[in-house]
Each structure stands twice: as structure tokens, then as C-alpha cells.
Amino acid sequence: MARKPLDYEELNENVKKTQYAVRGELYLRASELQKEGKKIIFTNVGNPHALGQKPLTFPRQVVALCQAPFLLDDPNVGLMFPADAIARAKHYLSMAPGGLGAYSDSRGIPGIRKEVADFIQRRDGYPSDPELIYLTDGASKGVMQMLNTIIRNERDGILVPVPQYPLYSAAIALFGGSLVPYYLEEEANWGLDFVNIRQTVSEARSKGITVRAMVIINPGNPTGQCLSEANIKELLQFCYHENLVLLADEVYQQNIYQDERPFISARKTVDEIYKVASIALSPNVPGQIFMGVMVNPPKPGDISYLKFSSESKSILESLRRRARMMTDGFNSCRNVVCNFTEGAMYSFPQIRLPPRAIEAAKRAGKAADVFYCLKLLEATGISTVPGSGFGQKEGVFHLRTTILPAEEDFPAIMSSFKNFNDSFMAQYEGYSRM
Amino acid sequence: MARKPLDYEELNENVKKTQYAVRGELYLRASELQKEGKKIIFTNVGNPHALGQKPLTFPRQVVALCQAPFLLDDPNVGLMFPADAIARAKHYLSMAPGGLGAYSDSRGIPGIRKEVADFIQRRDGYPSDPELIYLTDGASKGVMQMLNTIIRNERDGILVPVPQYPLYSAAIALFGGSLVPYYLEEEANWGLDFVNIRQTVSEARSKGITVRAMVIINPGNPTGQCLSEANIKELLQFCYHENLVLLADEVYQQNIYQDERPFISARKTVDEIYKVASIALSPNVPGQIFMGVMVNPPKPGDISYLKFSSESKSILESLRRRARMMTDGFNSCRNVVCNFTEGAMYSFPQIRLPPRAIEAAKRAGKAADVFYCLKLLEATGISTVPGSGFGQKEGVFHLRTTILPAEEDFPAIMSSFKNFNDSFMAQYEGYSRM
């Protein structure tokens, strides 16, 4: 019998090579356990609302009114919506002929791209051109459009940090390019070491790879660091001299949990992306309006200003406390060391696994960090992602957890982790190594 | 000076080869003219709300409440929203932990996939498995995920109808496969001719192409036909015997404008798509809820039933009248012949261009149908897409227009088209050919 065209053997090799750990073995096992009735704490994906974070009121009011514009003609609208949300909804509807049910320009609604440019100008202190701004359905789609445009064949290399968010390795595999990994320096708070990066580039070149672009993730995912200004300056000079496209993933720029190292952006223009963007006709329009509200939030004096800022502030303050509790919690555990989560939504502790644990993992046919994370999941319901899903140095093991569980659950979660880790270490270290 | 990595010469060849006529030269010229103050009638993209179609009330009420769930706790909610919209919003929110701000499962929310499966079961009369249903951000994303999974290299061929919606040619070019065009039979109301298709397949095979999949668009875009049941049966047998994946694009299944030839679906299961879908983490959640409401609309007896059905009915009845007015209008024009728009949202008249017009186009460096459509745009503001953007037989010319302008504007639009066409034909036919 002939093979069917969708049989595994007959599929695109690039699709088969693609890996995506944040929705991989650990996640699938956690979903099974949940179906069996076990309480699972999902810390595998940075998905704050799924873990109870409340939405900001003002953007939701604005988008609800845009979704149902007939509400604006209802005599009771003023009872349920503040005047500034009503005004803002009218403002966005005037920019979007046909409302939220119509395709917009493929690059996004011009008026909202203008609001994004104004935000960038305020942030960086010099002008930003709305014509160079493309709105996409989330950062993943934008990254994929760029990489698809850049990568020509398997000899085109993309510098990607290790550890990295696996979107990058997945997209590079899917488009048939070569991943050129550079290591972040855990001892230097996950910073960039250009001596190392230069050596990585020359090794890649000696293998016939044309290094075309460099990815940074700042604040880091899964590593949670904020890059220093000196590091970013060196990065820009490096990309300029080496003729690299800089892909700066800065989605967590508002999630900063310390004051010494504020977020600093890197910027680079794009070209020839319009055609790829236009195939999907339009990024989703409610998403564009949320973008407009977030880059142009209520201002002092506006009716919704106090509510919006106190909601935002309380989310960020709670995350800052959770970042601290999680880092401190990990660092109080045997054989666990963890850099402080300076930004983003992740903690990436290093787990120093005893040799016997590594051997037990090998016997079970698992990577050692996958073995540890599965045991953690079974014992505690805490669903994490093994460091091997993001990349790490040979023989060094990590896990990634979000800092997103509800703040009041933190003491119980950290103590449950500590109990598990204690007994895991006791089991695999044995008496002789105490 | 070295080339920059985003210089045109340095980009992915597949991206450069990609064409997308519905947002191409005609659209860009129309946008320019609009900026200069000319009134443009955009009939180039099937974008009903942008041309004044009102949204259905019930789905918008449900999604507005899901967007702003705090409205459900407002004592005034009953003044602005009917009880069934409130109940439905609670129903979807209970399926989506974290609400509309959280990523869902990469395949879509399980409860909504169940509602889609129930809809398919009602439609086709036999069971549908929700585990085989993937929700995507529009049909374009779904088509692209499938083609990306199927296409391995330039020797993999995909059978695509000509004329076709250019999503298919664009996606095949982007993923580096080979388009294997088969012609729809204009004389047989744009039906499938399997004698022809078999010959197309053997010619492709003799050139070393492995034909892997076949695309149909039913109801047709840009051609507006509904395939007959006999044609679809033959299609299924053909795909089975030739071992082809059938990609059935049936997005316009509710847009039917005659009763003789109802919409009949084709079905095929999918595999190994989960990983590709999971890279983007989640299709957009408000879109999923709209999908739920559309496959599971208010039922007789529900508060919103009458409003929902009268709104839906009045949209479809008006489109049916517009389909008729447009076809009749085109067929009353000199050198224009047009099949009736049985379904979808498009009319695809054939324009029999006089040899002098074809020569004039050649001198202007344009394809003859592009030449005609540009003249039409400049003279009348009617923005269409030339048939060459969809494919057509050598020496035969078409244009695609949507049937979406407001019904009351139809007499003026069709008479403006007729006047333009009369003077165009008079100019290029000259006295000798009258």
C-alpha cells in the first residue's frame, strides 16, 4: 500500500525538525494529570490571565465598545462606561472604517501605527516613522515574518542566545536556516560576552555559514535579566561592523522588577516585509486597538487615569514581590542557584543534579532536566519547562518557571518545591555525599 | 560598500517570487487616488464591513461582554444586553480560564472546537471529531500551516485552480513548492473537468513533480460558482486514487445566492499540524468566540433569535439581489460576459479586449487586463483586481469585483462601469469594427 501524503515520512523535514518545548512533553504530561484530577500549577507558559491576573479595565472598556458599537447609541451607555472610554472607542472606530469586523491595512491601521510611533519617540527621545512600523498578531508572527524574509537556505545562520525562547529555534528550523547559538553568561547575570560571540561567528563562518542576523531577548526569556546600556552599545557596534540584522525582542519592556538596570531599547528598520504581511490581509483588529490603548494610556486628569494607573501599578508591584520571593526561594534550596529576575516574567534556576540522578535519568531514557521536572510535576503539580527546551551548556541543568502564580499561593508553592527538592536530592545524593 | 543584510538582493528568493495581486498595483494606485481626494469604490478585497455591512448584533454583544467581564457584575447590564447574550458570554468565559487575555490551547479552546464539530455533524449528517479540528486566525493561516507541512521542496506540486485566490500561489511560492495549475471550465460554469486535470497531473509527473495535494475553493473565489454534487464526488474519487491531500477552502459556505446548487462540503482529516500551530501559542481568542457563536447561533425561542435571524437573512437577501444586479449589469455591457455569482462574494466577468487595446497595453508595459482595470479605476474610482492576479487562460481577460458595495449604490456603479466600458471599447475598436 502506497504511503499516504500526510504520513509522517512524507512531511516537510523542516516541520519534523521543529521542536517546541513550552508545549512539549512536560506540558502534555501536566494536561494528562489535570484530566486525572490532579491540581496543576501551570508555570510553563507566560500566560498571566490564565493564572488569575485581572485585565486592565480601561482597555477592555474601549475594546468592548468597539466590538459592539451600537452600545454607543444606547441611552444607558454612560451608566456602564466612563466618558473617556466612550471617547476613545469613538476615536478608534473613526480610524477603522467598517469597525472590528473589517480587514485593516496589512501593516495595521495607520492611526494606531502613528500612536505606536509616538510612544517609541517618547520612550527613546528621537523620532520614529509610522511608515516603518508593522503591527503583527503578537511578537511570534512578527519574528516569523522577519526570519522568513531573511533566511534563504541552510547556509544562512542566525545568532540566537542560549538559553533562548524556543520560538527562535523553531522558526529557524521551519524556514530551513541554521541556528548559530551564542551562550549568555550565567555568572555575569546572563549578559552578552562579545569575545565569545565573535569566536562563535568565526567558527560558523569557517563552516561555510553566512551569519545574517542576531537575536537578543531583553528583558530575557527564560533568563529574566535586563541588559546593561554598555552591553547594548557593544551589541549595536558589533551588528553594524558584522553587517547583521538585529532582531531585538523587547516584549517585556514594561515588566521590570528593579531600579538599577532600567529597560533600554535597541532599534532597527525593516524593508520588503509588506508582501509577506499582506498574505494574511490584516493583523487582528481588536488586538491593534489594545495596542493603541497600551501605547497611549489614559493621562493625568482623564476620568480613567487613576484606575488605570493603580491597576497597572498593583500588577507590577505584585510581580516585583513575586520575582523576589521566587529567587529567594530557589536560592534557599539545596543544589539550586538562581539569578534574580530583573525583568520579564520568568525565573531560570540552575539545578545541580547529583551524578546518580543523571544516571537514573539516562536509564529512564530522559534528559536529566526533563527527568527532574517530571518528578517535580508528579510530586507537586508544578508544571515547568526543562532548561534543555531553551538550551544550556553541556552538563548544566535548569528549569524555567513563570513568576505568575497568584501572590498568596507563593509561600505554599515555594515550600512544596523545597520539600520535593530536598527529598529528590536526599534520594540521589545518598549518605555518602552529604 | 558591502551589501546590507536586508538589501533586496540578499533576501529569500521565495519571498521575492511571492505575488499578491489583491493588494498589488491596482490597490496601491487606488490608495494614491484616494489620498488625492478621489472617491474610490473598493471592490478589490472581500471586506463587507468596510463597505458598510453592519455587524450581527448577538455575536458582538457576546464578545463585548467577554472582553469586559466586569460588565457582567454591573447592576445595569440587563439594560444594555439581552439575557441570552449574558448567558452565552458566561458560557464561553467558563471555557476560557483567564478570559480573552490568556493564550488558549494551540488548537483552540476545547469547548469551542466541540461546538464546531457539532456544527459540522449537523451540516454533514455524520459525526465529526473535535480532536481533529484546529482553529486558526482566519482561513489564510490554516492554509499556510497545511502547505508548510506538506511542501518539502520545489519538486512537490500542489494542484491549484485557475483562476484561484492568490493566497495559494503566494503560499506555495513562499514555501518553495511548485504550483500545478488546473483550469476551471468557464463554459461549464467554472466547474472541474477531470479529463483535463488528469492530463495536467501526468504532464507535471513527466517533469519530475510529485503532485501531493489539490486545492478546491467552493464556493469559488474569484469565480463565484458552487460545485455540483457530481463534481465533488468525482473529486473525492480522484484524490483518493491519486493519493492527494484535498484542501477544500469552504469559507463561503453560508454565502449562496441560488437554490438549484446548494453548498456541499468535502472533508479530510489532518495530522502533525499541532507543532506548527503551537509555535504561535494560540489563535486569537475573541475570534474563537465569534466562531463559537456563528456555529452555534441563537435558537428559536431564544431572546435574540429573531433579531439574529432577521439580520442574517437581510444580509444574505441583499447579497443575492446584488449578485443578480452585478451579473446582469456586466452581461448588458459590450464585450463583457459573466457567469452568475452562485455563491461567495465575487463576480469574475470576462472582458473581450479588442486587439488595439491589447497593443496599447503592450506599449504601456502593462498586462492587458491590468491596463483595462487601471483605466476603469482612473475613470470611475472602481477598484478591482485584474484576472491575471488569479490566473486565466492565455489571451483571455477578466477582472474580479466583490458584490459588496452598498445595494443602493449598485445602479450608479453599474452605469458608471457601463459608460466607461462603452467608451473604452469605442476607443479601441474604432469605426471599422463597429
Side-chain angles (χ1 to χ4, degrees):
Chain A
M1 169 99 197
R3 275 186 191 149
K4 292 286 174 200
L6 286 182
D7 282 353
Y8 185 78
E9 291 74 15
E10 299 291 315
L11 300 182
N12 182 337
E13 287 300 325
N14 291 337
V15 170
K16 293 196 239 172
K17 273 186 287 194
T18 301
Q19 300 291 333
Y20 211 60
V22 296
R23 288 273 164 103
E25 179 177 6
L26 259 287
Y27 171 73
L28 295 172
R29 180 72 187 127
S31 303
E32 273 173 31
L33 287 172
Q34 192 181 38
K35 272 190 192 155
E36 292 165 15
K38 190 171 174 73
K39 182 171 175 277
I40 302 296
I41 300 152
F42 283 101
T43 72
N44 56 310
V45 174
N47 199 2
H49 289 199
L51 291 164
Q53 183 179 305
K54 290 277 163 291
L56 296 168
T57 304
F58 182 76
R60 295 302 187 99
Q61 288 168 330
V62 171
V63 174
L65 289 168
C66 291
Q67 287 283 12
F70 45 82
L71 296 177
L72 294 165
D73 303 323
D74 189 302
N76 296 308
V77 66
L79 295 175
M80 294 185 77
F81 294 91
D84 56 351
I86 292 171
R88 187 65 79 91
K90 290 180 179 167
H91 165 75
Y92 289 128
L93 286 171
S94 78
M95 292 178 178
L100 269 58
Y103 298 123
S104 73
D105 187 288
S106 303
R107 292 163 293 185
I109 294 168
I112 292 178
R113 284 154 60 210
K114 174 73 170 53
E115 294 190 1
V116 172
D118 292 345
F119 163 83
I120 292 174
Q121 177 159 348
R122 286 195 306 277
R123 185 193 69 186
D124 294 343
Y126 65 102
S128 163
D129 180 356
E131 289 297 310
L132 298 177
I133 289 173
Y134 286 65
L135 304 182
T136 59
D137 290 342
S140 300
K141 298 284 164 59
V143 166
M144 292 181 80
Q145 285 176 12
M146 276 306 297
L147 289 175
N148 194 2
T149 304
I150 293 171
I151 294 171
R152 297 165 300 185
N153 54 52
E154 72 283 1
R155 291 180 307 282
D156 275 351
I158 312 291
L159 278 166
V160 173
V162 177
Q164 51 121 13
Y165 185 67
L167 162 66
Y168 294 96
S169 49
I172 291 167
L174 198 59
F175 299 131
S178 285
L179 185 137
V180 181
Y182 68 90
Y183 286 97
L184 298 174
E185 295 305 308
E186 189 164 9
E187 301 69 30
N189 209 16
W190 300 113
L192 307 173
D193 173 351
F194 284 92
V195 175
N196 228 319
I197 293 171
R198 279 197 180 83
Q199 195 182 332
T200 302
V201 170
S202 27
E203 278 167 19
R205 286 186 180 146
S206 73
K207 288 178 200 148
I209 301 286
T210 308
V211 181
R212 308 251 296 148
M214 175 163 179
V215 172
I216 62 156
I217 311 175
N218 180 38
N221 179 358
T223 41
Q225 84 285 17
C226 292
L227 293 179
S228 69
E229 187 169 3
N231 228 196
I232 293 172
K233 279 191 177 153
E234 206 174 346
L235 165 75
L236 292 172
Q237 280 161 353
F238 175 76
C239 289
Y240 178 80
H241 285 300
E242 301 287 342
N243 210 10
L244 302 177
V245 181
L246 174 58
L247 298 169
D249 178 340
E250 302 176 337
V251 295
Y252 295 111
Q253 57 190 273
Q254 300 202 350
N255 290 70
I256 308 295
Y257 311 121
Q258 37 75 48
D259 304 311
E260 301 73 43
R261 207 129 61 168
F263 166 75
I264 298 162
S265 77
R267 260 159 76 183
K268 180 80 188 154
T269 59
V270 291
D271 187 4
E272 180 64 17
I273 312 296
Y274 176 57
K275 240 167 35 182
V276 178
S278 76
I279 296 176
L281 283 170
S282 157
N284 101 63
V285 178
Q288 295 185 55
I289 290 177
F290 279 118
M291 175 58 81
V293 178
M294 296 313 290
V295 296
N296 184 15
K299 290 182 185 51
D302 291 352
I303 299 162
S304 296
Y305 173 73
L306 281 179
K307 186 165 200 179
F308 182 87
S309 19
S310 79
E311 285 175 350
S312 304
K313 196 161 160 251
S314 101
I315 290 171
L316 275 178
E317 283 176 352
S318 167
L319 284 171
R320 185 186 275 241
R321 288 190 296 272
R322 285 181 265 176
R324 175 51 63 199
M325 281 190 278
M326 192 156 257
T327 310
D328 291 350
F330 284 134
N331 282 321
S332 76
C333 289
R334 181 161 181 80
N335 294 344
V336 179
V337 289
C338 186
N339 285 325
F340 177 61
T341 300
E342 298 180 330
M345 310 197 295
Y346 310 100
S347 182
F348 197 66
Q350 186 183 135
I351 316 289
R352 297 191 169 146
L353 294 174
R356 286 194 206 168
I358 298 173
E359 286 153 27
K362 200 178 261 173
R363 283 195 302 275
K366 305 276 180 204
D369 55 356
V370 174
F371 180 78
Y372 179 91
C373 290
L374 278 170
K375 295 263 181 202
L376 172 67
L377 171 67
E378 309 271 352
T380 66
I382 302 175
S383 167
T384 59
V385 185
S388 49
F390 306 92
Q392 52 200 353
K393 288 183 177 161
E394 184 73 28
V396 181
F397 303 103
H398 297 81
L399 61 82
R400 188 191 80 162
T401 167
T402 68
I403 58 168
L404 296 172
E407 189 173 345
E408 62 270 27
D409 295 340
F410 259 64
I413 290 172
M414 294 318 292
S415 112
S416 160
F417 176 84
K418 193 179 171 67
N419 289 342
F420 160 78
N421 184 72
D422 278 353
S423 67
F424 182 95
M425 294 302 167
Q427 179 180 354
Y428 291 103
E429 289 191 328
Y431 306 119
S432 62
R433 298 178 58 92
M434 284 297 275
Chain B
M1 170 101 197
R3 275 186 190 148
K4 291 286 172 201
L6 286 182
D7 283 353
Y8 186 77
E9 292 73 16
E10 300 291 316
L11 300 182
N12 182 337
E13 288 299 324
N14 291 337
V15 170
K16 292 196 240 173
K17 271 186 286 193
T18 301
Q19 299 292 333
Y20 211 59
V22 296
R23 288 273 164 104
E25 180 179 4
L26 259 287
Y27 171 73
L28 294 173
R29 179 73 187 127
S31 304
E32 273 174 29
L33 287 171
Q34 192 182 39
K35 273 192 191 153
E36 292 167 14
K38 190 171 174 74
K39 182 171 176 278
I40 302 296
I41 301 151
F42 282 101
T43 73
N44 56 309
V45 175
N47 199 3
H49 289 199
L51 292 164
Q53 183 179 306
K54 290 277 163 290
L56 296 168
T57 304
F58 182 76
R60 296 302 188 100
Q61 288 169 331
V62 172
V63 174
L65 289 168
C66 290
Q67 286 284 10
F70 45 84
L71 296 176
L72 294 165
D73 304 323
D74 190 303
N76 295 308
V77 67
L79 296 175
M80 294 184 76
F81 294 90
D84 56 352
I86 292 170
R88 187 66 78 92
K90 288 179 179 166
H91 165 75
Y92 290 127
L93 285 171
S94 78
M95 292 178 177
L100 270 56
Y103 298 122
S104 73
D105 187 288
S106 303
R107 292 162 295 186
I109 294 168
I112 292 178
R113 284 155 59 211
K114 175 74 170 51
E115 294 191 1
V116 173
D118 292 345
F119 163 84
I120 292 174
Q121 176 160 348
R122 286 196 306 276
R123 186 193 67 187
D124 294 343
Y126 65 103
S128 163
D129 180 356
E131 288 297 308
L132 298 177
I133 288 172
Y134 286 64
L135 304 182
T136 59
D137 290 341
S140 300
K141 297 282 164 60
V143 166
M144 292 181 80
Q145 284 177 12
M146 275 307 296
L147 289 175
N148 193 3
T149 305
I150 293 170
I151 294 172
R152 297 166 300 185
N153 54 52
E154 71 284 1
R155 289 180 308 283
D156 274 352
I158 311 293
L159 277 166
V160 173
V162 176
Q164 52 122 9
Y165 184 67
L167 163 65
Y168 295 95
S169 48
I172 292 167
L174 198 58
F175 299 131
S178 285
L179 186 137
V180 181
Y182 68 90
Y183 286 97
L184 299 175
E185 296 304 307
E186 188 164 9
E187 300 69 32
N189 210 15
W190 298 115
L192 306 174
D193 172 353
F194 284 93
V195 175
N196 228 320
I197 293 170
R198 279 196 181 83
Q199 196 183 329
T200 302
V201 170
S202 28
E203 277 168 22
R205 285 185 180 146
S206 73
K207 289 179 199 149
I209 301 287
T210 308
V211 181
R212 307 250 297 149
M214 176 164 178
V215 172
I216 62 155
I217 311 175
N218 179 38
N221 179 359
T223 41
Q225 85 285 19
C226 292
L227 294 179
S228 69
E229 187 169 2
N231 228 196
I232 293 172
K233 278 192 177 151
E234 205 174 347
L235 166 74
L236 292 172
Q237 281 162 353
F238 175 76
C239 289
Y240 178 79
H241 285 300
E242 301 287 342
N243 210 9
L244 301 178
V245 180
L246 175 59
L247 298 169
D249 177 340
E250 302 177 337
V251 295
Y252 294 112
Q253 57 190 274
Q254 300 202 351
N255 290 70
I256 308 295
Y257 310 122
Q258 36 75 48
D259 304 312
E260 300 73 43
R261 206 127 65 169
F263 166 76
I264 298 161
S265 77
R267 262 160 74 184
K268 181 79 190 154
T269 59
V270 291
D271 189 3
E272 179 64 15
I273 312 296
Y274 175 57
K275 242 167 34 182
V276 178
S278 77
I279 296 177
L281 283 170
S282 156
N284 101 63
V285 179
Q288 295 184 57
I289 290 177
F290 279 117
M291 175 59 81
V293 177
M294 296 312 291
V295 297
N296 184 15
K299 290 181 183 52
D302 290 352
I303 299 162
S304 296
Y305 173 72
L306 281 179
K307 185 165 199 178
F308 182 87
S309 18
S310 78
E311 287 175 346
S312 304
K313 195 160 159 254
S314 100
I315 290 171
L316 275 177
E317 283 176 352
S318 167
L319 284 171
R320 185 186 275 242
R321 290 189 297 271
R322 285 180 266 176
R324 175 50 64 199
M325 282 191 277
M326 192 157 258
T327 310
D328 291 350
F330 283 135
N331 282 321
S332 76
C333 290
R334 180 162 182 81
N335 294 344
V336 179
V337 288
C338 186
N339 285 326
F340 178 61
T341 300
E342 298 181 329
M345 309 198 293
Y346 309 99
S347 182
F348 198 64
Q350 186 184 135
I351 316 288
R352 298 191 169 146
L353 294 175
R356 285 195 209 169
I358 298 173
E359 285 153 28
K362 200 178 261 174
R363 282 195 303 276
K366 306 276 180 205
D369 56 355
V370 174
F371 180 77
Y372 179 90
C373 290
L374 278 171
K375 295 265 181 201
L376 172 66
L377 172 67
E378 308 270 351
T380 65
I382 301 175
S383 167
T384 60
V385 185
S388 49
F390 306 93
Q392 51 201 353
K393 288 185 177 160
E394 184 74 26
V396 180
F397 304 103
H398 298 81
L399 61 82
R400 188 190 80 164
T401 167
T402 68
I403 57 167
L404 297 171
E407 190 174 346
E408 63 271 25
D409 295 339
F410 259 63
I413 290 172
M414 294 318 291
S415 110
S416 159
F417 177 84
K418 192 179 173 66
N419 288 341
F420 160 77
N421 185 70
D422 279 351
S423 65
F424 182 95
M425 293 302 168
Q427 180 180 354
Y428 290 103
E429 289 190 327
Y431 307 119
S432 61
R433 298 176 60 91
M434 285 297 276

